[in-house]
């Protein structure tokens, strides 16, 4: 098929592109210590939390943005961003869905978020974050019965200060990197999960993030703790409305797994990628890290990344506990002028630690994608093992795929395997399917889904279905 | 049902077919034979709509419709199906999934309902048996890791499930041992029907011992140099292609 045809068909409209008109209680653009005090006060935080934020802010001021990623974007003016926005509701929080702004519910409806009874039927508790404030949390009682705490991070700071003091910032220190420091200073909300010893969380926990108010940066903060023998599966999904200004998103996610604990963290990310010239998309600079603190603990990251203009994201595992396991399964799709520099870090510290990395990158249009993965084996990580598989699929001839594997091996008993492939979506494959009567779009979707199968099968069932659908939407018209 | 008239085809500016004429009626089996490079595979590829082949002159009609105006998938939906010489591997996509998607795409295009799952499974299992294929084939990725013989049997399996009006088989015998060829030939013979045409493209006569064609055409230098019945294939087996080439040059 001809390149011009592809060109023509690569254009697609962003299906989730609509803006809900809700009056926001928005802070004017700008960032200084007063901004941070305002946020902390607005959240009703204790003094020590404000100090924690200010400490992060002061460290951030001395830092510079990272420049090593294979990304190209203009410098971000942090003074042009508004750091607080919340739906205007005087009485803090609605007590039930009936009290929620109907427009907001409509928005969720359009996004197909199962918040109503659908959520109940699906057995999923939804902590919905609209702009920066958690609007509603369901299933709290059922979780409470099991002893699981699932609430917004703001609530957790007020209600469980000891847990916050004990764990916040212990996986991603405030000054870990430029964006993490910024997040630590100005984060507005996010989720908190605590699963006590021996408890398997009775349902999958899920949060839908959505960026709305114009020019508002989003700084989510998530902290998940599994005590010994505890287990949880957490789902995160994101979409955003179409708009013209670039939006910065710098989230921090920290996971802590103690002895024999298992945390499964799944993400389907579909933020606005910008128009065909790349204008208006989300900048996504995320720090996600899991700490396998206990022996035989296991942390698994699964992500399907289809959105954002720019993605800078490396969900990582620090394998401290003896025989602990870190996993990273990723599908990243870029189209149009999207840029993604993503991958993982597996830091082997403990003896007998194991890590698995399966990364599938799909580039279409004029997009550029890099896999960047670090496998580090420390001197005490005797018998550590890593397996990495990294496959890239190119659609058309104007996109790019790059692989940057880094390995730092600190002892001779480690076993490292790395496999990498790059292939073009075969015109032969397309012709083969089409000559059986299957339309080109269906054929592309079939071939791409086949390519991603290893990762999709790691996703919880309902997410897997969603992910396949999302991939089809994202690559709609990617080939012509 | 198929009418190819005065067909001229170029690939990368080079003339491959030069005024080819061919008519296939329902119920007939035609074999296209000829020396390497005569344009045998080009003919079936052009009919199926493969990219990179430029028709500079002539026409192809199928049941009165202009095939050259149709998209690749439309041709398949209309009942023109090509069995590949080199079937393509599609990692991660189960064989059964491709079969079902193809069948439903064709049914939908014809305005029919999608096939119910139990009916589909029964249909596929029957045909699998005909092709002496194990049910595990269905769960394997399309053609991935298949032996040459398995790939060819899989092509025929698709034909049996999809039931095209005109089945085109490009060198379906290449790379097969005699046992595999018999299975494939049995499959093709079971496709023979009053309302179906079959076009076999083959270099060797031996396939035609098992699938006896109604018409045999010898393609030389981009056009049909000689046509005959099954007897012609036997003559070619005995005498080779040279005499046809010489006669057509004369």
């Amino acid at each position: 098929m001809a390149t011009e045809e592809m060109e023509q068909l690569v254009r697609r409209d962003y299906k989730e592109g609509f803006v809900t008109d809700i009056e926001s209680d928005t802070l004017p653009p700008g960032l200084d210590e007063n901004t941070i005090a305002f946020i902390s006060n607005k959240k009703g935080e204790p003094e020590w939390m404000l100090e924690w934020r200010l400490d992060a802010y002061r460290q951030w001021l001395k830092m510079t943005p990272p420049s090593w990623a294979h990304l190209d974007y203009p410098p971000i003016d942090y003074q042009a961003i508004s750091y607080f926005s919340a739906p205007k509701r005087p009485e803090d929080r609605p007590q039930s869905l009936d009290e929620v702004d109907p427009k907001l519910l409509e928005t969720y409806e359009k996004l197909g978020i199962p918040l109503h009874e659908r959520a109940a039927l699906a057995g999923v508790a939804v902590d919905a974050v609209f702009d920066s404030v958690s609007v509603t949390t369901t299933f709290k009682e059922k979780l409470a019965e099991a002893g699981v705490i699932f609430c917004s991070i703001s609530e957790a700071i007020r209600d469980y200060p000891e847990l916050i003091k004990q764990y916040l910032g212990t996986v991603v220190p405030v000054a870990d990197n430029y964006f993490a420091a910024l997040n630590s200073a100005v984060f507005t909300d996010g989720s908190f999960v605590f699963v006590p010893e021996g408890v398997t969380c009775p349902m999958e926990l899920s949060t839908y993030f959505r960026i709305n108010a114009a020019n508002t940066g989003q700084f989510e903060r998530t902290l998940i703790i599994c005590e010994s023998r505890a287990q949880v599966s957490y789902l995160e999904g994101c979409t955003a409305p179409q708009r013209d200004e670039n939006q910065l998103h710098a989230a921090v996610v920290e996971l802590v797994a103690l002895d024999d604990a298992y945390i499964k963290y799944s993400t389907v990310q579909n933020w606005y990628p910008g128009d065909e010239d790349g204008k208006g998309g989300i900048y996504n600079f995320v720090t996600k890290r899991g700490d396998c603190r206990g022996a035989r603990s296991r942390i698994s990251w699964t992500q399907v990344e289809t959105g954002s203009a720019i993605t800078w994201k490396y969900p990582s595992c620090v394998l401290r506990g003896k025989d602990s396991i870190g996993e990273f399964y990723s599908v990243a799709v870029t189209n149009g002028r999207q840029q993604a520099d993503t991958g993982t870090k597996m830091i082997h510290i403990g003896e007998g630690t194991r890590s698995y990395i399966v990364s599938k990158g799909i580039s279409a249009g004029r997009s550029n994608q890099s896999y960047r993965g670090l496998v580090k084996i420390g001197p005490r990580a005797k018998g550590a093992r890593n397996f990495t598989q990294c496959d890239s699929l190119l659609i058309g001839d104007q996109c790019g795929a790059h692989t940057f594997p880094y390995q730092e091996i600190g002892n001779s008993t480690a076993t490292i395997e790395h496999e990498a492939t790059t292939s073009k979506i075969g015109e032969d494959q397309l012709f083969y399917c089409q000559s059986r009567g299957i339309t080109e779009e269906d054929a592309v979707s079939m071939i791409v889904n086949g390519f991603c199968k290893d990762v999709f099968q790691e996703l919880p069932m309902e997410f897997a279905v969603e992910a396949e659908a999302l991939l089809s939407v994202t690559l709609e018209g990617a080939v012509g | 049902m198929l009418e190819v008239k005065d067909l001229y085809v170029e690939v990368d500016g080079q003339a491959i077919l030069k005024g080819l004429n061919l008519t296939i009626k329902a119920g007939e089996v035609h074999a296209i034979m000829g020396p390497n490079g005569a344009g045998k595979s080009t003919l079936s590829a052009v009919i199926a709509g493969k990219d990179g082949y430029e028709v500079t002159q002539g026409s192809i009609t199928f049941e009165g419709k202009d095939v050259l105006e149709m998209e690749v998938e439309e041709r398949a939906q209309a009942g023109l199906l090509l069995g590949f010489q080199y079937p393509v591997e599609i990692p991660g996509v189960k064989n059964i999934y491709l079969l079902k998607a193809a069948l439903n795409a064709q049914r939908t295009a014809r305005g029919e309902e999608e096939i119910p799952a139990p009916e589909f499974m029964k249909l596929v299992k029957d045909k699998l048996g005909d092709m002496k294929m194990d049910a595990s084939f269905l769960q394997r990725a399309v053609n991935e890791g298949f032996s040459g013989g398995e790939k060819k049997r899989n092509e025929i399996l698709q034909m049996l499930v999809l039931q095209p009006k005109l089945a085109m088989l490009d060198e379906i015998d290449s790379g097969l041992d005699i046992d595999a060829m018999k299975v494939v030939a049995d499959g093709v013979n079971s496709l023979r029907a009053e309302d179906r045409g079959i076009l076999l493209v083959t270099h060797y006569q031996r396939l035609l011992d098992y699938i006896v064609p109604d018409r045999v055409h010898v393609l030389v230098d981009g056009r049909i140099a000689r046509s005959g019945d099954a007897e012609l294939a036997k003559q070619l087996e005995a005498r080779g292609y040279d005499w046809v080439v010489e006669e057509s040059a004369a």
Side-chain angles (χ1 to χ4, degrees):
Chain A
M1 105 218 44
T3 308
E4 318 85 65
E5 284 176 66
M6 274 196 208
E7 278 275 289
Q8 208 174 28
L9 282 151
V10 153
R11 290 174 204 137
R12 71 185 203 277
D13 290 328
Y14 180 69
K15 290 211 164 163
E16 314 285 18
F18 42 83
V19 179
T20 310
D21 179 26
I22 289 182
E23 251 185 287
S24 289
D25 180 8
T26 304
L27 203 62
L31 178 58
D32 57 23
E33 299 202 355
N34 289 326
T35 318
I36 292 162
F38 175 89
I39 293 169
S40 189
N41 179 44
K42 197 92 185 162
K43 295 272 159 196
E45 288 177 356
E47 185 64 24
W48 57 265
M49 196 62 224
L50 174 61
E51 286 307 319
W52 194 87
R53 287 176 180 274
L54 290 172
D55 170 49
Y57 174 68
R58 287 165 197 148
Q59 300 208 48
W60 177 74
L61 286 176
K62 291 180 237 152
M63 300 169 83
T64 49
S67 58
W68 42 262
H70 194 75
L71 300 171
D72 181 26
Y73 59 94
I76 297 165
D77 180 357
Y78 294 91
Q79 295 303 332
I81 294 169
S82 165
Y83 289 85
F84 189 83
S85 133
K88 202 173 188 178
R89 283 285 156 215
E91 296 314 315
D92 295 25
R93 253 152 218 283
Q95 301 305 302
S96 77
L97 282 175
D98 305 338
E99 295 173 36
V100 172
D101 191 322
K103 264 196 183 157
L104 179 53
L105 293 177
E106 213 177 286
T107 305
Y108 287 135
E109 202 64 46
K110 279 192 212 165
L111 287 168
I113 294 174
L115 193 65
H116 286 288
E117 286 83 357
R118 279 184 289 170
L121 289 171
V124 175
V126 178
D127 180 3
V129 175
F130 186 78
D131 273 2
S132 313
V133 166
S134 295
V135 175
T136 178
T137 303
T138 45
F139 291 103
K140 266 199 177 157
E141 294 81 6
K142 193 172 174 189
L143 292 170
E145 254 172 59
V148 175
I149 301 169
F150 178 36
C151 62
S152 74
I153 195 98
S154 313
E155 264 179 87
I157 290 166
R158 289 192 300 267
D159 300 345
Y160 310 100
E162 293 314 312
L163 287 173
I164 295 292
K165 277 186 195 165
Q166 191 182 343
Y167 290 105
L168 190 71
T170 62
V171 183
V172 179
V174 289
D176 184 82
N177 67 69
Y178 189 78
F179 299 111
L182 179 63
N183 175 287
S184 300
V186 301
F187 74 84
T188 43
D189 222 324
S191 295
F192 175 77
V193 178
F194 177 81
V195 188
E197 190 172 337
V199 171
T200 297
C201 184
M203 62 186 78
E204 281 175 337
L205 303 180
S206 136
T207 307
Y208 288 84
F209 293 98
R210 185 174 164 76
I211 300 176
N212 206 304
N215 210 16
T216 302
Q218 284 273 310
F219 303 93
E220 310 291 347
R221 186 92 194 186
T222 298
L223 175 60
I224 300 177
I225 301 143
C226 266
E227 287 196 325
S228 299
R229 291 176 285 108
Q231 289 194 18
V232 69
S233 169
Y234 186 89
L235 319 180
E236 170 206 353
C238 327
T239 59
Q242 187 160 2
R243 59 181 57 257
D244 274 321
E245 289 148 276
N246 281 305
Q247 290 182 299
L248 174 66
H249 185 99
V252 171
V253 176
E254 296 179 280
L255 312 181
V256 179
L258 303 185
D259 287 355
D260 299 292
Y262 175 31
I263 301 175
K264 184 176 174 66
Y265 193 105
S266 312
T267 307
V268 171
Q269 188 266 112
N270 181 26
W271 282 340
Y272 182 52
D275 63 17
E276 64 188 84
D277 297 320
K279 195 170 172 244
I282 304 290
Y283 287 7
N284 192 24
F285 300 96
V286 184
T287 306
K288 286 182 165 175
R289 194 173 304 156
D291 191 353
C292 281
R293 223 165 265 187
R296 298 166 304 279
S297 57
R298 177 176 167 204
I299 287 177
S300 177
W301 298 102
T302 306
Q303 59 171 21
V304 177
E305 300 278 319
T306 66
S308 300
I310 292 176
T311 302
W312 180 96
K313 183 179 175 186
Y314 317 91
S316 305
C317 295
V318 181
L319 302 167
R320 225 181 284 277
K322 189 168 182 285
D323 298 323
S324 59
I325 299 172
E327 292 163 289
F328 174 75
Y329 302 98
S330 169
V331 166
V333 188
T334 51
N335 201 348
R337 296 210 179 242
Q338 282 176 275
Q339 305 176 60
D341 194 301
T342 182
T344 185
K345 289 188 276 185
M346 292 292 175
I347 314 294
H348 293 254
I349 295 171
E351 250 179 65
T353 47
R354 282 174 286 162
S355 61
Y356 302 93
I357 299 170
V358 179
S359 164
K360 305 275 182 177
I362 299 150
S363 322
R366 291 163 184 271
S367 67
N368 243 303
Q369 202 177 118
S370 305
Y371 167 81
R372 192 180 300 277
L374 167 69
V375 176
K376 184 173 181 174
I377 314 261
R380 281 173 301 160
K382 289 205 179 65
R385 278 182 285 163
N386 163 265
F387 173 77
T388 300
Q389 186 186 333
C390 186
D391 301 324
S392 307
L393 186 67
L394 306 175
I395 302 178
D397 53 11
Q398 295 186 65
C399 51
H402 318 271
T403 303
F404 303 98
Y406 305 88
Q407 296 176 342
E408 295 172 22
I409 315 299
N411 79 64
S412 57
T413 60
T415 313
I416 306 276
E417 286 175 75
H418 184 98
E419 290 176 11
T421 65
T422 299
S423 50
K424 254 194 96 168
I425 193 159
E427 299 199 351
D428 288 347
Q429 289 177 331
L430 281 176
F431 176 63
Y432 188 75
C433 294
Q434 283 178 274
S435 71
R436 267 82 193 120
I438 298 167
T439 63
E440 186 156 44
E441 293 210 334
D442 288 348
V444 169
S445 159
M446 187 186 285
I447 294 164
V448 169
N449 276 304
F451 174 77
C452 299
K453 205 186 78 182
D454 299 350
V455 173
F456 285 172
Q457 66 194 16
E458 295 297 327
L459 287 170
M461 186 63 96
E462 74 266 31
F463 246 30
V465 173
E466 209 174 293
E468 284 190 24
L470 187 56
L471 230 63
S472 305
V473 173
T474 307
L475 290 173
E476 221 162 69
V479 193
Chain B
M1 58 176 27
L2 181 79
E3 192 134 13
V4 180
K5 272 192 191 155
D6 196 29
L7 189 68
Y8 283 76
V9 175
E10 290 182 4
V11 177
D12 294 331
Q14 200 188 339
I16 307 291
L17 297 183
K18 306 164 188 170
L20 186 139
N21 290 285
L22 177 69
T23 303
I24 299 178
K25 296 199 180 78
E28 292 180 346
V29 176
H30 288 239
I32 304 278
M33 303 185 68
N36 288 328
K40 298 192 297 288
S41 293
T42 297
L43 177 61
S44 54
V46 168
I47 296 171
K50 193 168 166 93
D51 223 26
Y53 296 82
E54 197 192 342
V55 175
T56 53
Q57 200 181 311
S59 66
I60 304 175
T61 51
F62 181 65
E63 296 189 318
K65 283 174 286 192
D66 183 354
V67 172
L68 297 175
E69 286 297 309
M70 296 158 86
E71 298 293 336
V72 176
E73 59 266 30
E74 290 170 348
R75 300 179 194 202
Q77 289 159 3
L80 283 164
L81 203 62
L82 174 64
F84 282 47
Q85 180 179 6
Y86 302 109
V88 180
E89 299 187 1
I90 311 177
V93 177
K94 283 181 185 173
N95 225 356
I96 187 149
Y97 185 70
L98 177 78
L99 267 178
K100 195 171 178 193
L103 182 59
N104 281 331
Q106 297 197 9
R107 288 171 73 114
T108 306
R110 291 196 298 262
E112 297 168 20
E113 296 274 304
E114 294 200 346
I115 189 168
E119 199 181 310
F120 175 70
M121 283 315 296
K122 188 178 177 310
L123 172 71
V124 171
K125 291 233 160 103
D126 283 354
K127 304 302 183 192
L128 264 180
D130 293 349
M131 293 314 294
K132 301 195 165 44
M133 291 164 81
D134 190 85
S136 65
F137 266 90
L138 299 174
Q139 303 303 322
R140 288 168 64 184
V142 177
N143 293 316
E144 200 183 32
F146 284 26
S147 70
E150 287 171 340
K151 284 183 182 171
K152 296 296 171 68
R153 275 192 275 170
N154 200 34
E155 292 294 289
I156 306 297
L157 175 71
Q158 292 180 4
M159 295 269 172
L160 294 175
V161 171
L162 298 174
Q163 298 282 321
K165 290 179 181 161
L166 178 70
M168 299 182 285
L169 300 162
D170 187 13
E171 309 253 356
I172 199 71
D173 52 333
S174 69
L176 295 188
D177 62 30
I178 199 78
D179 293 328
M181 190 159 79
K182 277 183 190 160
V183 175
V184 165
D186 286 348
V188 175
N189 283 326
S190 74
L191 277 170
R192 295 180 90 138
E194 291 270 307
D195 56 354
R196 177 175 297 126
I198 295 176
L199 176 63
L200 296 171
V201 173
T202 180
H203 185 73
Y204 298 106
Q205 193 271 336
R206 68 173 190 166
L207 178 70
L208 305 182
D209 286 339
Y210 300 96
I211 309 168
V212 180
D214 300 299
R215 300 290 293 164
V216 174
H217 311 278
V218 185
L219 194 58
V220 176
D221 192 27
R223 71 187 77 184
I224 289 173
R226 183 176 276 261
S227 296
D229 56 18
E231 205 46 43
L232 175 59
K234 294 218 159 61
Q235 273 181 286
L236 292 168
E237 171 82 347
R239 300 172 60 189
Y241 287 113
D242 288 351
W243 61 281
V244 189
V245 176
E246 278 160 27
E247 272 183 27
S248 77

